Amino acid sequence: MKARFIIAVAASLLLPNMSQASEIKLLASVAMKDAYLELIPQFEKATGHQVSLAWSTTPDVQKRIAAGEAADLIILGDSGTEALIKQGKLVASSRVNFAKSGIGVAVRAGTPRPDISSAEAVKQSVLAAKSIAYSAGASGIYLVSMFQKLGISDQVKSKTATVKPGEPVGEVVARGEAEIGFHQESELIPVKGIQILGPLPPEIQNITVYSGGIHSATKVADAATALAKFLTAPAAAPIIKKHGLEPG
Protein backbone atom coordinates (compact mmCIF):
# COMPACT_ATOMS: atom_id res chain seq x y z
CA MET A 1 0.00 0.00 0.00
CA LYS A 2 2.77 2.45 0.95
CA ALA A 3 4.70 1.75 -2.26
CA ARG A 4 1.59 2.30 -4.39
CA PHE A 5 0.93 5.55 -2.56
CA ILE A 6 4.46 6.82 -3.20
CA ILE A 7 4.26 5.87 -6.86
CA ALA A 8 0.92 7.65 -7.21
CA VAL A 9 2.31 10.77 -5.57
CA ALA A 10 5.38 10.65 -7.78
CA ALA A 11 3.30 10.34 -10.89
CA SER A 12 1.16 13.32 -9.94
CA LEU A 13 4.23 15.42 -9.13
CA LEU A 14 6.21 14.48 -12.20
CA LEU A 15 3.57 14.06 -14.92
CA PRO A 16 4.86 17.02 -16.99
CA ASN A 17 8.27 15.31 -17.26
CA MET A 18 7.00 11.90 -18.39
CA SER A 19 6.59 12.62 -22.12
CA GLN A 20 10.10 11.36 -22.89
CA ALA A 21 12.03 8.83 -20.81
CA SER A 22 15.63 9.70 -20.01
CA GLU A 23 18.61 8.07 -18.37
CA ILE A 24 19.77 10.00 -15.31
CA LYS A 25 23.16 9.53 -13.70
CA LEU A 26 23.06 10.04 -9.94
CA LEU A 27 26.35 10.39 -8.07
CA ALA A 28 25.67 10.51 -4.34
CA SER A 29 27.17 10.03 -0.91
CA VAL A 30 27.05 6.41 0.18
CA ALA A 31 25.14 7.59 3.27
CA MET A 32 22.06 7.81 1.05
CA LYS A 33 22.49 4.40 -0.57
CA ASP A 34 20.05 2.12 1.22
CA ALA A 35 17.22 4.63 1.31
CA TYR A 36 17.63 5.44 -2.36
CA LEU A 37 17.92 1.80 -3.43
CA GLU A 38 14.38 1.48 -2.09
CA LEU A 39 13.05 4.76 -3.47
CA ILE A 40 14.55 4.94 -6.93
CA PRO A 41 12.85 1.83 -8.41
CA GLN A 42 9.55 3.48 -7.47
CA PHE A 43 10.62 6.65 -9.28
CA GLU A 44 11.56 4.62 -12.36
CA LYS A 45 8.22 2.81 -12.34
CA ALA A 46 6.29 6.05 -11.94
CA THR A 47 8.11 8.06 -14.59
CA GLY A 48 9.71 5.71 -17.10
CA HIS A 49 13.08 7.36 -16.48
CA GLN A 50 16.05 5.13 -15.71
CA VAL A 51 18.62 6.01 -13.06
CA SER A 52 22.28 5.00 -13.16
CA LEU A 53 23.67 4.96 -9.63
CA ALA A 54 27.16 5.65 -8.30
CA TRP A 55 28.11 5.99 -4.62
CA SER A 56 31.16 7.32 -2.83
CA THR A 57 32.29 9.47 0.08
CA THR A 58 31.62 13.20 0.11
CA PRO A 59 35.29 14.15 -0.50
CA ASP A 60 35.51 11.70 -3.41
CA VAL A 61 32.23 12.87 -4.99
CA GLN A 62 33.42 16.46 -4.76
CA LYS A 63 36.82 15.56 -6.24
CA ARG A 64 35.33 13.58 -9.12
CA ILE A 65 32.87 16.29 -10.16
CA ALA A 66 35.51 19.02 -9.79
CA ALA A 67 37.78 16.97 -12.06
CA GLY A 68 35.14 16.83 -14.78
CA GLU A 69 33.25 13.59 -14.26
CA ALA A 70 29.82 13.68 -15.87
CA ALA A 71 26.67 13.24 -13.78
CA ASP A 72 23.20 14.74 -13.80
CA LEU A 73 22.23 14.92 -10.13
CA ILE A 74 24.89 15.14 -7.42
CA ILE A 75 24.29 14.68 -3.68
CA LEU A 76 27.00 15.10 -1.05
CA GLY A 77 27.83 16.83 2.21
CA ASP A 78 26.76 20.46 2.28
CA SER A 79 30.27 21.94 2.26
CA GLY A 80 31.00 19.97 -0.91
CA THR A 81 27.84 21.27 -2.53
CA GLU A 82 28.86 24.84 -1.73
CA ALA A 83 32.29 24.29 -3.26
CA LEU A 84 30.89 22.79 -6.47
CA ILE A 85 28.43 25.66 -6.87
CA LYS A 86 31.30 28.16 -6.53
CA GLN A 87 33.20 26.22 -9.20
CA GLY A 88 30.21 26.41 -11.53
CA LYS A 89 29.73 22.64 -11.53
CA LEU A 90 26.24 22.74 -10.00
CA VAL A 91 23.34 25.03 -10.88
CA ALA A 92 22.96 27.25 -7.82
CA SER A 93 19.18 27.61 -8.20
CA SER A 94 18.77 23.81 -8.15
CA ARG A 95 20.38 23.41 -4.73
CA VAL A 96 18.25 21.44 -2.26
CA ASN A 97 18.74 19.63 1.05
CA PHE A 98 18.00 15.92 0.65
CA ALA A 99 18.60 14.53 4.14
CA LYS A 100 20.68 14.82 7.28
CA SER A 101 22.37 12.31 9.53
CA GLY A 102 24.21 12.11 12.83
CA ILE A 103 27.18 9.92 13.72
CA GLY A 104 26.56 6.57 15.37
CA VAL A 105 28.85 4.25 17.33
CA ALA A 106 29.05 0.47 16.96
CA VAL A 107 30.92 -2.56 18.27
CA ARG A 108 31.02 -6.16 17.13
CA ALA A 109 27.94 -8.20 17.99
CA GLY A 110 28.33 -10.14 21.23
CA THR A 111 31.09 -7.96 22.66
CA PRO A 112 30.78 -5.69 25.73
CA ARG A 113 29.00 -2.38 25.21
CA PRO A 114 31.29 0.54 26.09
CA ASP A 115 29.82 3.68 27.62
CA ILE A 116 29.09 6.51 25.17
CA SER A 117 26.66 8.47 27.37
CA SER A 118 28.82 11.60 27.53
CA ALA A 119 31.83 13.19 25.85
CA GLU A 120 34.07 11.99 28.68
CA ALA A 121 32.64 8.47 28.42
CA VAL A 122 33.33 8.40 24.68
CA LYS A 123 36.88 9.59 25.34
CA GLN A 124 37.53 6.86 27.88
CA SER A 125 35.95 4.18 25.67
CA VAL A 126 38.15 5.19 22.75
CA LEU A 127 41.25 5.18 24.95
CA ALA A 128 40.34 1.73 26.28
CA ALA A 129 39.76 0.22 22.84
CA LYS A 130 42.66 -1.59 21.20
CA SER A 131 41.55 -0.41 17.76
CA ILE A 132 39.03 2.00 16.28
CA ALA A 133 37.64 2.77 12.84
CA TYR A 134 36.05 5.74 11.12
CA SER A 135 35.47 6.70 7.52
CA ALA A 136 37.28 9.07 5.18
CA GLY A 137 33.95 10.77 4.46
CA ALA A 138 32.06 13.59 6.14
CA SER A 139 31.82 11.83 9.51
CA GLY A 140 35.51 10.93 9.51
CA ILE A 141 36.56 14.49 8.76
CA TYR A 142 34.58 15.65 11.78
CA LEU A 143 35.88 12.87 14.02
CA VAL A 144 39.50 13.89 13.41
CA SER A 145 38.70 17.33 14.83
CA MET A 146 36.62 15.80 17.64
CA PHE A 147 39.51 13.61 18.79
CA GLN A 148 41.77 16.66 18.72
CA LYS A 149 39.35 18.57 20.95
CA LEU A 150 39.16 15.62 23.33
CA GLY A 151 42.96 15.60 23.53
CA ILE A 152 43.39 12.04 22.27
CA SER A 153 44.42 12.56 18.66
CA ASP A 154 47.85 10.96 19.03
CA GLN A 155 46.47 7.88 20.81
CA VAL A 156 43.81 7.44 18.12
CA LYS A 157 46.32 7.64 15.27
CA SER A 158 48.33 4.76 16.68
CA LYS A 159 45.37 2.35 16.65
CA THR A 160 43.17 3.39 13.73
CA ALA A 161 42.16 0.47 11.51
CA THR A 162 42.30 0.82 7.74
CA VAL A 163 38.96 1.57 6.11
CA LYS A 164 38.93 1.42 2.31
CA PRO A 165 37.30 4.31 0.42
CA GLY A 166 33.54 3.76 0.38
CA GLU A 167 33.74 0.77 2.73
CA PRO A 168 31.19 0.75 5.56
CA VAL A 169 32.95 1.15 8.90
CA GLY A 170 30.52 -1.40 10.34
CA GLU A 171 32.00 -4.12 8.14
CA VAL A 172 35.48 -3.44 9.56
CA VAL A 173 34.01 -3.74 13.06
CA ALA A 174 32.08 -6.90 12.17
CA ARG A 175 35.31 -8.54 10.93
CA GLY A 176 36.96 -7.79 14.27
CA GLU A 177 39.50 -5.42 12.76
CA ALA A 178 38.31 -2.60 15.04
CA GLU A 179 36.82 -2.81 18.52
CA ILE A 180 34.74 0.33 18.10
CA GLY A 181 33.59 2.17 14.97
CA PHE A 182 32.10 5.55 14.15
CA HIS A 183 30.03 6.24 11.04
CA GLN A 184 26.86 7.90 9.84
CA GLU A 185 23.95 6.05 11.45
CA SER A 186 22.43 5.36 8.02
CA GLU A 187 25.60 3.48 7.06
CA LEU A 188 25.72 1.39 10.23
CA ILE A 189 22.10 0.18 10.14
CA PRO A 190 22.44 -2.22 7.14
CA VAL A 191 25.57 -3.96 8.44
CA LYS A 192 25.16 -7.39 9.97
CA GLY A 193 27.34 -8.62 12.81
CA ILE A 194 27.47 -5.38 14.77
CA GLN A 195 25.51 -3.80 17.61
CA ILE A 196 24.82 -0.10 17.34
CA LEU A 197 25.35 1.60 20.69
CA GLY A 198 23.51 4.72 19.62
CA PRO A 199 24.41 8.20 18.43
CA LEU A 200 27.22 10.30 19.81
CA PRO A 201 26.06 12.32 22.83
CA PRO A 202 24.64 15.75 21.96
CA GLU A 203 27.63 17.74 23.22
CA ILE A 204 29.92 16.15 20.61
CA GLN A 205 27.43 15.10 17.95
CA ASN A 206 27.76 16.45 14.43
CA ILE A 207 24.87 16.50 11.97
CA THR A 208 25.82 16.27 8.32
CA VAL A 209 23.41 17.88 5.88
CA TYR A 210 23.37 16.15 2.50
CA SER A 211 22.53 18.57 -0.25
CA GLY A 212 23.23 18.86 -3.93
CA GLY A 213 21.80 19.88 -7.24
CA ILE A 214 21.75 19.57 -11.00
CA HIS A 215 25.04 19.46 -12.87
CA SER A 216 25.52 22.56 -14.96
CA ALA A 217 26.37 20.47 -18.03
CA THR A 218 23.50 17.98 -17.82
CA LYS A 219 21.49 17.26 -20.94
CA VAL A 220 18.53 15.85 -19.00
CA ALA A 221 17.81 18.74 -16.62
CA ASP A 222 14.04 18.14 -16.53
CA ALA A 223 14.43 14.46 -15.65
CA ALA A 224 17.13 15.18 -13.07
CA THR A 225 14.92 17.85 -11.52
CA ALA A 226 12.05 15.36 -11.40
CA LEU A 227 14.27 12.91 -9.52
CA ALA A 228 15.32 15.58 -7.03
CA LYS A 229 11.67 16.49 -6.42
CA PHE A 230 10.75 12.86 -5.89
CA LEU A 231 13.56 12.22 -3.40
CA THR A 232 12.55 15.27 -1.36
CA ALA A 233 8.76 14.81 -1.56
CA PRO A 234 6.89 14.28 1.74
CA ALA A 235 5.84 10.80 0.58
CA ALA A 236 9.50 9.71 0.58
CA ALA A 237 10.08 10.78 4.19
CA PRO A 238 9.09 7.50 5.89
CA ILE A 239 11.61 5.54 3.84
CA ILE A 240 14.30 8.15 4.46
CA LYS A 241 13.68 7.87 8.21
CA LYS A 242 13.60 4.06 8.12
CA HIS A 243 17.18 4.05 6.93
CA GLY A 244 18.54 6.24 9.71
CA LEU A 245 18.29 9.62 8.00
CA GLU A 246 16.12 12.66 8.57
CA PRO A 247 14.46 14.42 5.63
CA GLY A 248 16.35 17.54 4.62
Side-chain angles (χ1 to χ4, degrees), residues 114-197:
D115 186 4
I116 62 164
S117 60
S118 66
E120 181 60 25
V122 171
K123 176 180 177 178
Q124 295 305 321
S125 293
V126 169
L127 290 173
K130 294 180 180 179
S131 54
I132 73 164
Y134 55 89
S135 81
S139 62
I141 292 171
Y142 167 75
L143 284 163
V144 170
S145 65
M146 185 192 82
F147 293 138
Q148 290 173 341
K149 290 178 181 178
L150 291 176
I152 57 174
S153 182
D154 290 341
Q155 295 94 319
V156 167
K157 287 178 182 178
S158 67
K159 55 184 178 182
T160 299
T162 299
V163 179
K164 299 175 183 178
E167 181 180 30
V169 169
E171 292 186 2
V172 177
V173 175
R175 293 197 299 264
E177 295 172 10
E179 285 189 8
I180 188 168
F182 301 82
H183 212 175
Q184 301 291 0
E185 291 184 83
S186 63
E187 297 184 62
L188 291 175
I189 289 173
V191 179
K192 296 180 180 180
I194 64 173
Q195 51 182 333
I196 300 173
L197 306 177

